[in-house]
Amino acid sequence: MLDVRGFAWSRSALEAMDAATVRAAMPREAISPYGAANRIAAALGTPNKPGQPPAVSSYAVERLIALGLLVDLSAHRRYSALNPDQVDQVAALELAELLDREAPLGPEQAAARLGVRRVDFEWMRRLGWIAPVSFGRVQFGASKAGAVEVPRFAAGHVDDLPGAHPEVDWAQLRTVGKGRRSPLAELQAQPA
C-alpha cells in the first residue's frame, strides 16, 4: 500500500509495513547514482576512471530512472537511492546504444550535431519539435551571477529530428548564412 504525501510516508503506512519483507526485497544497502554509474560502466567493459570523463555518468543513471529501467527508492527529490541488484540486472542489458541516445546535449551542441545555426534549433523548440529532457545548473567562470539553468536534450531526440520532419529541406537549412531569416520561422507551431 503506497501512501506517499509530500515525499514522506504516513505513520500508518510505515506501521503497516513488514520490515522482514522490506529487508528481503533489499538485501544490500542502496547505492547512489554515482555508484550505479560505476557498476554499469564496469559491466559495459568501460570502467569509469578517476580524473577522466566518465564512460557512464550519474546523468545517464538519472535518464535510466526517467525511462523506468531503474527505480529510485528515495523520497528525496535531489538524492536518489538505487537497489544494487536492480542496477546489476540493468547493467546486464545491451545499454550502449540506449546510453548513446540518451547522452545529454546543450542547445549549442544540439545545433552543431544537426549542422544548423543555434537560432534554427531555437525555432525547432518553438515549433514544439523537441523539448529538453532535463535541466542542469552550470557555473560559467567566476560569474557573480551564479549558476544558470541550461536545458539538456537527448542526443537521440536530436538525431530523430530530420527523419521526423521531411517537409524541411535540411540541406538548405544547413546552408543558411549568419544574419539571414530562418526558413523555420514561416512554419506554424504544431503541438508536440
Side-chain angles (χ1 to χ4, degrees):
M1 166 178 100
L2 289 179
D3 185 12
V4 181
R5 283 187 234 128
F7 297 104
W9 291 98
S10 69
R11 183 173 189 86
S12 61
L14 281 173
E15 290 172 350
M17 287 183 186
D18 178 17
T21 303
V22 172
R23 277 190 210 95
M26 183 81 177
R28 296 188 286 158
E29 187 174 332
I31 59 174
S32 69
Y34 176 80
N38 288 336
R39 289 174 93 102
I40 292 169
L44 291 173
T46 56
N48 290 339
K49 296 179 181 164
Q52 295 182 4
V56 178
S57 66
S58 296
Y59 175 80
V61 174
E62 291 172 20
R63 293 300 305 144
L64 294 174
I65 293 168
L67 294 169
L69 293 173
L70 291 173
V71 175
D72 183 359
L73 303 173
S74 171
H76 197 283
R77 293 183 323 173
R78 294 188 65 190
Y79 304 104
S80 299
L82 303 161
N83 182 334
D85 295 329
Q86 185 187 35
V87 170
D88 292 342
Q89 289 172 353
V90 168
L93 302 173
E94 288 294 324
L95 291 177
E97 184 177 329
L98 175 66
L99 292 174
D100 284 345
R101 286 190 53 79
E102 293 299 321
L105 299 176
E108 292 286 342
Q109 294 166 313
R113 190 172 181 110
L114 288 168
V116 300
R117 301 172 304 165
R118 168 75 186 267
V119 68
D120 296 316
F121 183 74
E122 289 303 321
W123 273 106
M124 293 174 207
R125 289 182 66 187
R126 285 186 208 132
L127 291 167
W129 295 357
I130 191 162
V133 293
S134 69
F135 290 84
R137 294 186 58 76
V138 177
Q139 179 78 35
F140 291 100
S143 169
K144 293 182 182 180
V148 296
E149 294 283 321
V150 176
R152 293 190 279 205
F153 302 88
H157 297 177
V158 172
D159 293 342
D160 293 344
L161 283 170
H165 296 282
E167 71 276 14
V168 173
D169 182 348
W170 289 89
Q172 186 248 343
L173 184 61
R174 290 180 178 113
T175 62
V176 175
K178 184 176 180 177
R180 306 289 299 174
R181 181 177 165 90
S182 174
L184 301 177
E186 297 173 14
L187 301 176
Q188 293 289 327
Q190 302 290 324

